[in-house]
Amino acid sequence: MAQLNTFKSVQHKFKLSSAGDSDKLVYKAPFGYTAIVLNAQCANIGATDRTVTFKLKKGTTESILVDELVIPPNDAANLATGKLVLQTGDELIGFASDANDLDLTLSFLETLDA
């Protein structure tokens, strides 16, 4: 039986493509669920400034949440300053200037659609 409400937290390297490449998928709301993104924390663990672009994609429509946001070394930024609602198939996508120095922690609630 599917869970009605499930809180999840995913930590991984922000392994997105370098500038000039195509956007990469960060998260996709699963079939039959709505996801509420509570936090999207991105930390720069490198020694130089890094930039990140983060988007919400609903069908063919993309909304830029941050565009080439500079994150200084040993600092962090929240890529979604408010709650985001993703319905089945909606995606969080983006790219970074370096795929090795940025750590992303994504916290969200997945709830079963009625």
PDB file of all heavy atoms in Angstrom, residues 20 26 29-30 46 64 68 75 77 90 98 100-101:
ATOM      1  N   GLY A  20      26.699  25.953 -20.534  1.00  0.00           N
ATOM      2  CA  GLY A  20      26.768  25.677 -21.965  1.00  0.00           C
ATOM      3  C   GLY A  20      26.212  24.310 -22.317  1.00  0.00           C
ATOM      4  O   GLY A  20      25.819  24.068 -23.441  1.00  0.00           O
ATOM      5  N   VAL A  26      17.279  17.147 -11.399  1.00  0.00           N
ATOM      6  CA  VAL A  26      17.617  17.041  -9.990  1.00  0.00           C
ATOM      7  C   VAL A  26      16.576  16.171  -9.274  1.00  0.00           C
ATOM      8  O   VAL A  26      16.908  15.307  -8.493  1.00  0.00           O
ATOM      9  CB  VAL A  26      17.695  18.428  -9.328  1.00  0.00           C
ATOM     10  CG1 VAL A  26      17.900  18.312  -7.826  1.00  0.00           C
ATOM     11  CG2 VAL A  26      18.804  19.257  -9.958  1.00  0.00           C
ATOM     12  N   ALA A  29       8.768  14.682  -9.625  1.00  0.00           N
ATOM     13  CA  ALA A  29       7.665  14.198  -8.795  1.00  0.00           C
ATOM     14  C   ALA A  29       7.129  12.897  -9.391  1.00  0.00           C
ATOM     15  O   ALA A  29       6.810  12.844 -10.577  1.00  0.00           O
ATOM     16  CB  ALA A  29       6.562  15.243  -8.709  1.00  0.00           C
ATOM     17  N   PRO A  30       7.046  11.842  -8.576  1.00  0.00           N
ATOM     18  CA  PRO A  30       6.618  10.549  -9.093  1.00  0.00           C
ATOM     19  C   PRO A  30       5.144  10.520  -9.470  1.00  0.00           C
ATOM     20  O   PRO A  30       4.349  11.346  -9.012  1.00  0.00           O
ATOM     21  CB  PRO A  30       6.909   9.581  -7.944  1.00  0.00           C
ATOM     22  CG  PRO A  30       7.104  10.407  -6.738  1.00  0.00           C
ATOM     23  CD  PRO A  30       7.419  11.800  -7.166  1.00  0.00           C
ATOM     24  N   GLY A  46      34.131  24.067  -2.355  1.00  0.00           N
ATOM     25  CA  GLY A  46      35.381  24.311  -3.075  1.00  0.00           C
ATOM     26  C   GLY A  46      36.099  25.561  -2.595  1.00  0.00           C
ATOM     27  O   GLY A  46      35.698  26.218  -1.642  1.00  0.00           O
ATOM     28  N   ILE A  64      12.572  30.041 -13.850  1.00  0.00           N
ATOM     29  CA  ILE A  64      13.902  30.130 -13.250  1.00  0.00           C
ATOM     30  C   ILE A  64      13.750  30.552 -11.794  1.00  0.00           C
ATOM     31  O   ILE A  64      13.143  31.578 -11.491  1.00  0.00           O
ATOM     32  CB  ILE A  64      14.793  31.123 -14.015  1.00  0.00           C
ATOM     33  CG1 ILE A  64      15.021  30.630 -15.440  1.00  0.00           C
ATOM     34  CG2 ILE A  64      16.123  31.327 -13.295  1.00  0.00           C
ATOM     35  CD1 ILE A  64      15.771  31.594 -16.333  1.00  0.00           C
ATOM     36  N   GLU A  68      22.325  31.733 -12.434  1.00  0.00           N
ATOM     37  CA  GLU A  68      23.754  31.955 -12.242  1.00  0.00           C
ATOM     38  C   GLU A  68      24.049  32.618 -10.903  1.00  0.00           C
ATOM     39  O   GLU A  68      24.830  33.564 -10.803  1.00  0.00           O
ATOM     40  CB  GLU A  68      24.340  32.741 -13.410  1.00  0.00           C
ATOM     41  CG  GLU A  68      24.261  31.966 -14.724  1.00  0.00           C
ATOM     42  CD  GLU A  68      24.980  32.640 -15.871  1.00  0.00           C
ATOM     43  OE1 GLU A  68      25.861  33.491 -15.615  1.00  0.00           O
ATOM     44  OE2 GLU A  68      24.657  32.313 -17.018  1.00  0.00           O
ATOM     45  N   ASP A  75      30.526  28.557   1.618  1.00  0.00           N
ATOM     46  CA  ASP A  75      29.273  29.242   1.907  1.00  0.00           C
ATOM     47  C   ASP A  75      28.139  28.419   1.307  1.00  0.00           C
ATOM     48  O   ASP A  75      28.381  27.430   0.608  1.00  0.00           O
ATOM     49  CB  ASP A  75      29.291  30.652   1.320  1.00  0.00           C
ATOM     50  CG  ASP A  75      28.325  31.610   2.020  1.00  0.00           C
ATOM     51  OD1 ASP A  75      27.532  31.151   2.858  1.00  0.00           O
ATOM     52  OD2 ASP A  75      28.365  32.809   1.711  1.00  0.00           O
ATOM     53  N   ALA A  77      23.699  28.578  -0.097  1.00  0.00           N
ATOM     54  CA  ALA A  77      22.538  29.370  -0.487  1.00  0.00           C
ATOM     55  C   ALA A  77      21.329  28.453  -0.586  1.00  0.00           C
ATOM     56  O   ALA A  77      21.452  27.279  -0.947  1.00  0.00           O
ATOM     57  CB  ALA A  77      22.788  30.055  -1.827  1.00  0.00           C
ATOM     58  N   ASP A  90       6.316  16.978 -12.707  1.00  0.00           N
ATOM     59  CA  ASP A  90       7.055  18.239 -12.623  1.00  0.00           C
ATOM     60  C   ASP A  90       8.490  17.950 -12.205  1.00  0.00           C
ATOM     61  O   ASP A  90       8.762  16.997 -11.476  1.00  0.00           O
ATOM     62  CB  ASP A  90       6.408  19.187 -11.612  1.00  0.00           C
ATOM     63  CG  ASP A  90       5.053  19.704 -12.065  1.00  0.00           C
ATOM     64  OD1 ASP A  90       4.682  19.485 -13.237  1.00  0.00           O
ATOM     65  OD2 ASP A  90       4.362  20.322 -11.235  1.00  0.00           O
ATOM     66  N   ASP A  98      30.461  24.183 -11.799  1.00  0.00           N
ATOM     67  CA  ASP A  98      31.361  23.073 -11.487  1.00  0.00           C
ATOM     68  C   ASP A  98      30.538  21.989 -10.810  1.00  0.00           C
ATOM     69  O   ASP A  98      29.786  22.270  -9.887  1.00  0.00           O
ATOM     70  CB  ASP A  98      32.488  23.524 -10.556  1.00  0.00           C
ATOM     71  CG  ASP A  98      33.479  22.405 -10.288  1.00  0.00           C
ATOM     72  OD1 ASP A  98      33.258  21.626  -9.353  1.00  0.00           O
ATOM     73  OD2 ASP A  98      34.461  22.326 -11.042  1.00  0.00           O
ATOM     74  N   ASN A 100      31.632  19.387  -9.137  1.00  0.00           N
ATOM     75  CA  ASN A 100      32.273  18.683  -8.037  1.00  0.00           C
ATOM     76  C   ASN A 100      32.270  19.449  -6.722  1.00  0.00           C
ATOM     77  O   ASN A 100      32.438  18.851  -5.670  1.00  0.00           O
ATOM     78  CB  ASN A 100      33.718  18.339  -8.408  1.00  0.00           C
ATOM     79  CG  ASN A 100      33.764  17.387  -9.585  1.00  0.00           C
ATOM     80  OD1 ASN A 100      33.054  16.400  -9.618  1.00  0.00           O
ATOM     81  ND2 ASN A 100      34.586  17.708 -10.572  1.00  0.00           N
ATOM     82  N   ASP A 101      32.106  20.759  -6.758  1.00  0.00           N
ATOM     83  CA  ASP A 101      32.235  21.566  -5.548  1.00  0.00           C
ATOM     84  C   ASP A 101      30.909  21.939  -4.896  1.00  0.00           C
ATOM     85  O   ASP A 101      30.913  22.576  -3.842  1.00  0.00           O
ATOM     86  CB  ASP A 101      32.997  22.857  -5.851  1.00  0.00           C
ATOM     87  CG  ASP A 101      34.476  22.609  -6.097  1.00  0.00           C
ATOM     88  OD1 ASP A 101      34.954  21.519  -5.746  1.00  0.00           O
ATOM     89  OD2 ASP A 101      35.136  23.509  -6.640  1.00  0.00           O
TER      90      ASP A 101
END
